[in-house]
């Protein structure tokens, strides 16, 4: 059989064999010896690959011509010699062997069902049948590898035709399990539609998918699930439209899909039902495909039913609320959709969920009965406020800010100042426009309505008081919030408390608060399991908070000229995140304090490499460049560009205005002195009303 490795010798070998079905051993002793060497050849790469052939030999005492070709073809295929393998496989006359294969399978199936041994011996062993069917499968795969997809599909179909006609009632349980017959059938069932798709034969692909799912192939649950999902995806996105399936086995009352879309929906709903019965693992893409299909069909109410039936814990609550709201809105059930959005936008969920706000505003705008909700006006105000921060022209920015405040005030009046979400945004807009008294009133009203249950409300109220330089009152608010909040919600509150202590010059107290906060984070990480639930549920919030604490402590120690302690804090921060603009900036400030301006400049520029919009680094870079540079126009232009960039990102930064005033004042002209005075005036006003932390 070594001769079969070359085409020329293969022809000679063919001439040596007078009958394809007779044993090579009974015809020629030399050929028999060659057959033995072929078996040895296949044993060398992987002994387990010829277990079936060895079993067949034990049963019949010989290895016939077709089986030898199947073995050699498999060996060539496993070596990667695809063309050689195909050449060997094509020498197997499957048409001549098909009746014997069918008879053997049929007899094997009857024995399984009746458990009787009274039947005559079949013409082939199950092991021999398995070997030959595997050869057909490998031939199909070889054709696939060579890009001959249609021929591969036709070859693969032969296997399923043989098995179906031999066992019309399906494969019995564990039939052929000892010789991998079931595995070969399963792989063929999976491969056939894929080959038809690659051959650009969508109708044949659809028929193959239906054949795979409607005939009893005794497939594993995972295999059936995979085929169902792939079929549904193909029906949805291929653009192919086939005639309705012929479900003769279904009862008269059963649903029969009328088109590809309905068939895809049916398949996806079956998959969801399997998940609900805990037969398969959760696959979120199934719901995504079903959402698309039912949306296209216009039946979003059915999608809502499917989402509501899902087991808890596999979808985020906020995602469920929003998806259901979309479904009911699509089904013209606006009141139900709005109720779901109220739950989503509540303080316990996500009051700042922008898609939910947008949908709520759309519902309120379309339905006059919901206009009093004020959601649309609130969303308009939020949008205008966000837009004002990106506007370059000063007059445009002021205009957008005025429009934002007007929209939020309108929303407040429409809800009689009784909606905490609207009050929060209104208070925030007042505070950012430095209308602190009005901001304070809204924040107090909001806190009263919520009963002190929202940490964001406490923080905003404290920051407004700090902007009014009422640091003691602000700290009292934080203490009250700490008393009412749960222990795992106190991180931001403690950090704000430390900032308030720094603003009052109480550096030792601030260090003690930061130390308490670090201990709190350590306990929290141990309680939840570090790197597991906490980081997953909070989006690594504790890691970010710890990073900022080390930055804050570094600035405290720099102010106290305790440089070694500051360096320790910065090394701790670097261990958490080596690419932090805040850490690089703090490092630059440390160098600047030591009068190492070139090193400071490198640190500030490194921070800007990480985050080009880092405002503190833009300002510090301008300050150091002004110290290092000359009084040339080029130096002036560069420094001014850094400061103007900082102001374009944060118009309320008093340090940027102050340093811009110094730059103008250094020019010594009357016009520049006037500009400097305006900058100093803005800097003083903003510094006097600056909170210890940004309002937003």
């Amino acid at each position: 059989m070594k001769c079969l490795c070359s085409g020329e010798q293969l022809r000679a070998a063919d001439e040596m064999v007078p009958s394809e079905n007779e044993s090579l051993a009974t015809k020629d002793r030399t050929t028999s010896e060659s057959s033995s060497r072929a078996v040895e050849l296949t044993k060398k790469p992987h002994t387990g690959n010829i277990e079936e052939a060895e079993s067949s030999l034990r049963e019949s005492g010989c290895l016939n011509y077709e089986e030898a070709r199947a073995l050699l073809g498999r060996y060539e295929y496993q070596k990667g010699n695809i063309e050689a393998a195909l050449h060997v496989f094509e020498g197997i006359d499957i048409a001549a062997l098909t009746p014997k294969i069918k008879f053997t399978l049929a007899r094997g199936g009857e024995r399984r069902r009746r458990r009787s041994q009274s039947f005559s011996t079949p013409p082939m062993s199950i092991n021999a049948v398995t070997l030959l069917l595997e050869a057909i499968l490998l031939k199909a795969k070889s054709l696939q590898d060579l890009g001959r997809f249609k021929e591969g599909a036709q070859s693969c179909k032969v296997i399923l035709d043989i098995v179906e006609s031999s066992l019309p009632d399906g494969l019995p349980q564990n039939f052929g399990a000892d010789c991998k017959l079931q595995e070969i059938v399963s792989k063929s069932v999976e491969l056939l539609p894929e080959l038809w798709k690659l051959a650009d034969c969508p109708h044949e692909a659809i028929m193959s998918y239906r054949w795979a799912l409607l005939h009893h192939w005794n497939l594993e649950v995972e295999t059936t699930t995979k085929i169902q999902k792939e079929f549904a995806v193909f029906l949805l996105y291929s653009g192919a439209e086939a005639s309705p399936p012929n479900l003769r086995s279904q009862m008269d009352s059963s649903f029969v899909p009328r088109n590809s879309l309905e068939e895809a929906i049916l398949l996806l709903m079956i998959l969801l039902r399997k998940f609900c019965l805990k037969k398969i693992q959760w696959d979120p893409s199934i719901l995504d495909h079903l959402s698309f299909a039912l949306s296209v069909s216009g039946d979003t109410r059915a999608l809502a039913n499917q989402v509501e039936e899902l087991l808890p814990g596999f979808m985020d609550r906020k995602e469920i609320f929003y998806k259901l709201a979309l479904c009911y809105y699509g089904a013209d059930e606006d009141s139900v959709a709005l109720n779901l959005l109220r739950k989503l936008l509540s303080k316990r969920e996500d009051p700042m969920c922008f898609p939910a706000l947008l949908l709520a505003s759309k519902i309120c705008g379309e339905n006059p009965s919901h206009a009093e909700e004020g959601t649309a006006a609130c969303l308009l105000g939020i949008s205008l406020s966000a837009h004002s921060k990106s506007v370059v022209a000063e007059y445009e920015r002021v205009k957008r800010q005025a429009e934002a405040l007007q929209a939020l005030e309108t929303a407040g009046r429409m809800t009689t100042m009784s909606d905490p979400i609207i009050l929060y945004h209104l208070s925030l807009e007042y505070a950012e426009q430095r209308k602190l008294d009005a901001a304070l009133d809204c924040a107090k009203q909001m806190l009263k309505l919520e009963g002190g249950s929202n940490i964001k409300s406490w923080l905003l109220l404290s920051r407004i008081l700090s902007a009014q330089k009422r640091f003691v009152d602000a700290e009292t608010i934080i203490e009250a919030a700490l008393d009412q909040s749960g222990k795992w919600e106190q991180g931001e509150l403690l950090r704000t408390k430390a900032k308030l202590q720094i603003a009052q010059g109480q550096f030792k107290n601030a260090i003690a608060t930061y130390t308490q906060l670090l201990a709190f984070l350590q306990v929290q990480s141990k309680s939840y399991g570090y790197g597991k639930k906490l980081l997953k549920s909070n989006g690594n919030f504790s890691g970010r908070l710890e990073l900022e604490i080390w930055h804050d402590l570094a600035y405290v120690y720099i102010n106290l000229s305790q440089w070694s302690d500051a360096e320790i804090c910065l090394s701790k921060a670097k261990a958490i995140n080596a690419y932090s603009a805040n850490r690089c900036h703090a490092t630059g400030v440390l160098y600047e304090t030591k009068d190492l301006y070139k090193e400071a400049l490198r640190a500030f520029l490194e921070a800007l490499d990480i985050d080009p919009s880092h405002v503190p680094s833009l300002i510090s870079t301008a300050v150091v460049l002004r110290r290092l540079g000359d009084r040339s126009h080029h130096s002036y232009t560069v420094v001014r560009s850094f400061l103007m960039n900082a102001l374009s990102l944060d118009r309320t930064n008093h340090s940027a205005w102050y340093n811009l005033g110094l730059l103008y004042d250094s020019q010594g002209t009357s016009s520049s002195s006037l500009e400097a005075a305006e900058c100093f005036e803005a800097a003083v006003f903003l510094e006097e009303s600056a909170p210890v932390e940004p309002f937003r």
Side-chain angles (χ1 to χ4, degrees):
M1 288 303 293
K2 282 185 177 179
C3 298
L4 296 179
C5 292
S6 69
E8 182 179 347
Q9 293 166 327
L10 180 62
R11 287 191 294 274
D14 288 342
E15 293 173 1
M16 291 169 56
V17 185
S19 173
E20 295 174 345
N21 298 322
E22 290 181 298
S23 168
L24 296 175
T26 62
K27 291 295 177 183
D28 196 308
R29 182 170 178 271
T30 305
T31 310
S32 177
E33 292 173 357
S34 298
S35 175
S36 299
R37 289 197 295 272
V39 175
E40 292 173 4
L41 211 76
T42 58
K43 282 184 178 180
K44 290 179 182 178
H46 187 1
T47 305
N49 288 338
I50 61 167
E51 289 175 352
E52 299 92 338
E54 290 176 333
S55 178
S56 179
L57 283 169
R58 285 194 296 269
E59 292 175 10
S60 62
C62 64
L63 178 71
N64 71 24
Y65 175 82
E66 307 294 350
E67 294 169 21
R69 275 187 174 273
L71 270 176
L72 182 60
R74 179 170 65 182
Y75 174 58
E76 293 292 345
Y77 183 84
Q78 289 174 337
K79 287 200 306 180
N81 300 331
I82 305 301
E83 292 185 359
L86 181 60
H87 188 71
V88 175
F89 289 137
E90 286 178 337
I92 302 175
D93 189 354
I94 293 297
L97 293 171
T98 296
K100 293 183 178 182
I101 295 175
K102 287 183 177 181
F103 186 77
T104 301
L105 289 174
R107 281 298 172 87
E110 290 175 1
R111 284 182 179 179
R112 286 278 179 173
R113 283 190 293 270
R114 301 183 186 180
R115 301 186 180 276
S116 172
Q117 301 297 326
S118 62
F119 298 100
S120 59
T121 303
M124 303 178 71
S125 69
I126 290 295
N127 291 293
V129 169
T130 302
L131 189 62
L132 292 170
L133 291 180
E134 183 191 38
I136 305 173
L137 176 62
L138 294 179
K139 178 183 177 181
K141 288 187 174 182
S142 300
L143 289 165
Q144 179 187 15
D145 292 339
L146 296 173
R148 295 160 62 179
F149 305 121
K150 191 169 184 178
E151 294 175 66
Q154 292 167 344
S155 179
C156 187
K157 185 174 181 292
V158 170
I159 301 173
L160 302 184
D161 283 332
I162 290 173
V163 174
E164 184 185 43
S165 60
S166 307
L167 302 164
D169 295 329
L171 271 75
Q173 193 72 24
N174 297 322
F175 180 61
D178 54 341
C179 58
K180 300 183 181 179
L181 178 60
Q182 179 63 62
E183 179 184 343
I184 292 168
V185 172
S186 298
K187 288 181 178 179
S188 303
V189 170
E190 282 190 78
L191 181 62
L192 183 58
E194 293 300 321
L195 289 171
W196 283 126
K197 287 193 293 184
L198 291 169
D200 195 21
C201 299
H203 177 73
E204 287 78 4
I206 290 173
M207 299 307 294
S208 297
Y209 274 125
R210 290 173 179 170
W211 194 16
L213 296 174
L214 295 177
H215 188 73
H216 300 292
W217 302 109
N218 196 25
L219 303 176
E220 297 288 339
V221 174
E222 294 77 9
T223 304
T224 305
T225 299
K226 181 174 180 288
I227 294 172
Q228 287 172 328
K229 180 183 173 183
E230 290 175 352
F231 187 22
V233 170
F234 183 73
L235 289 169
L236 282 177
Y237 308 115
S238 68
E241 188 63 54
S243 57
N246 182 16
L247 303 180
R248 290 171 296 176
S249 61
Q250 298 292 327
M251 296 173 61
D252 293 339
S253 60
S254 298
F255 171 76
V256 178
R258 296 167 296 179
N259 51 50
S260 295
L261 181 60
E262 288 188 358
E263 193 168 1
I265 292 171
L266 177 61
L267 288 164
L268 292 167
M269 292 178 75
I270 289 172
L271 288 171
L272 273 186
R273 176 59 57 188
K274 282 185 178 180
F275 163 71
C276 292
L277 296 175
K278 298 183 179 180
K279 291 183 177 180
I280 61 173
Q281 296 294 319
W282 170 240
D283 182 356
S285 67
I286 293 174
L287 189 59
D288 293 338
H289 294 309
L290 183 59
S291 299
F292 171 78
L294 288 173
S295 299
V296 171
S297 70
D299 193 0
T300 57
R301 188 65 176 79
L303 177 59
N305 293 337
Q306 294 297 315
V307 174
E308 289 169 345
E309 290 178 5
L310 286 177
L311 295 174
F314 286 90
M315 280 182 66
D316 183 70
R317 279 171 54 85
K318 291 182 283 189
E319 184 183 357
I320 290 176
F321 284 141
Y322 183 62
K323 192 177 286 289
L324 285 174
L326 284 172
C327 292
Y328 283 109
Y329 174 68
D332 294 328
E333 298 185 38
D334 293 353
S335 297
V336 179
L338 199 57
N339 286 332
L340 288 162
L341 291 171
R342 287 192 189 103
K343 292 180 180 180
L344 174 54
L345 295 170
S346 68
K347 59 191 176 185
R348 295 184 180 276
E349 298 297 338
D350 188 2
M352 291 298 295
C353 180
F354 187 80
L357 285 168
L358 188 62
L359 181 58
S361 68
K362 182 177 178 63
I363 294 173
C364 292
E366 292 174 350
N367 194 333
S369 64
H370 298 303
E372 71 277 2
E373 298 262 347
T375 311
C378 179
L379 181 63
L380 177 61
I382 295 170
S383 302
L384 289 169
S385 178
H387 179 59
S388 68
K389 294 173 176 58
S390 61
V391 171
V392 177
E394 179 67 15
Y395 78 91
E396 186 71 15
R397 181 183 64 83
V398 173
K399 179 183 177 183
R400 290 289 175 262
Q401 283 183 334
E403 291 174 346
L405 191 57
Q406 182 181 5
L408 290 168
E409 288 174 340
T410 300
R413 287 193 300 270
M414 292 173 68
T415 56
T416 64
M417 303 297 280
S418 59
D419 188 321
I421 297 175
I422 293 175
L423 285 171
Y424 175 82
H425 291 291
L426 182 56
S427 176
L428 195 59
E429 191 62 31
Y430 276 136
E432 290 190 329
Q433 296 190 26
R434 295 303 192 266
K435 299 179 179 181
L436 298 179
D437 290 337
L440 186 63
D441 291 340
C442 289
K444 288 180 178 179
Q445 176 69 7
M446 171 183 58
L447 197 64
K448 181 179 179 181
L449 289 170
E450 294 176 333
S453 61
N454 193 340
I455 297 296
K456 288 184 177 181
S457 302
W458 289 106
L459 287 170
L460 180 57
L461 179 58
S462 175
R463 289 165 184 169
I464 293 170
L465 290 170
S466 72
Q468 294 179 326
K469 308 308 174 191
R470 296 166 58 182
F471 300 121
V472 175
D473 293 339
E475 192 170 352
T476 301
I477 291 295
I478 294 297
E479 292 291 352
L482 288 169
D483 290 339
Q484 295 197 28
S485 61
K487 63 179 181 178
W488 301 132
E489 301 175 329
Q490 296 182 354
E492 285 190 274
L493 293 170
L494 287 171
R495 188 184 180 205
T496 302
K497 178 182 177 180
K499 293 281 188 74
L500 290 167
Q501 290 167 335
I502 293 171
Q504 298 173 76
Q506 301 172 4
F507 295 110
K508 290 185 178 180
N509 291 342
I511 292 171
T513 302
Y514 279 126
T515 303
Q516 178 187 353
L517 181 50
L518 287 170
F520 155 78
L521 291 177
Q522 186 177 12
V523 172
Q524 189 182 51
S525 64
K526 288 181 179 179
S527 298
Y528 280 89
Y530 185 76
K532 295 181 181 178
K533 292 184 179 178
L534 179 65
L535 300 185
K536 185 176 180 180
S537 60
N538 294 337
N540 202 11
F541 171 75
S542 62
R544 294 196 304 271
L545 182 57
E546 183 182 357
L547 183 67
E548 294 306 320
I549 291 168
W550 289 117
H551 294 156
D552 292 348
L553 278 171
Y555 286 119
V556 171
Y557 287 124
I558 290 171
N559 288 330
L560 295 173
S561 298
Q562 296 178 217
W563 295 334
S564 60
D565 291 330
E567 289 170 352
I568 292 172
C569 294
L570 292 174
S571 67
K572 294 282 189 181
K574 187 174 183 179
I576 298 174
N577 185 358
Y579 302 99
S580 168
N582 285 333
R583 181 190 62 79
C584 292
H585 179 262
T587 303
V589 172
L590 178 60
Y591 284 131
E592 188 179 8
T593 307
K594 296 179 180 181
D595 294 333
L596 301 173
Y597 297 117
K598 290 184 179 180
E599 290 82 354
L601 181 60
R602 279 197 294 270
F604 295 141
L605 292 175
E606 183 182 354
L608 292 175
D609 285 339
I610 297 171
D611 182 6
S613 62
H614 192 249
V615 173
S617 295
L618 288 169
I619 298 170
S620 296
T621 301
V623 171
V624 173
L625 284 174
R626 194 166 63 83
R627 287 179 181 272
L628 294 174
D630 51 28
R631 293 178 176 269
S632 65
H633 178 72
H634 176 71
S635 176
Y636 167 85
T637 303
V638 172
V639 172
R640 184 177 181 277
S641 67
F642 277 103
L643 293 172
M644 293 304 292
N645 283 342
L647 287 172
S648 68
L649 294 165
D650 182 7
R651 300 289 297 181
T652 62
N653 192 296
H654 61 85
S655 179
W657 285 109
Y658 173 72
N659 283 286
L660 185 61
L662 291 177
L663 181 65
Y664 285 141
D665 191 51
S666 65
Q667 297 303 296
T669 64
S670 57
S671 60
S672 62
S673 296
L674 182 61
E675 289 177 324
E678 292 176 352
C679 290
F680 290 142
E681 183 179 358
V684 170
F685 170 75
L686 291 171
E687 185 177 20
E688 289 178 347
S689 58
V692 294
E693 291 179 309
F695 294 113
R696 194 177 293 276

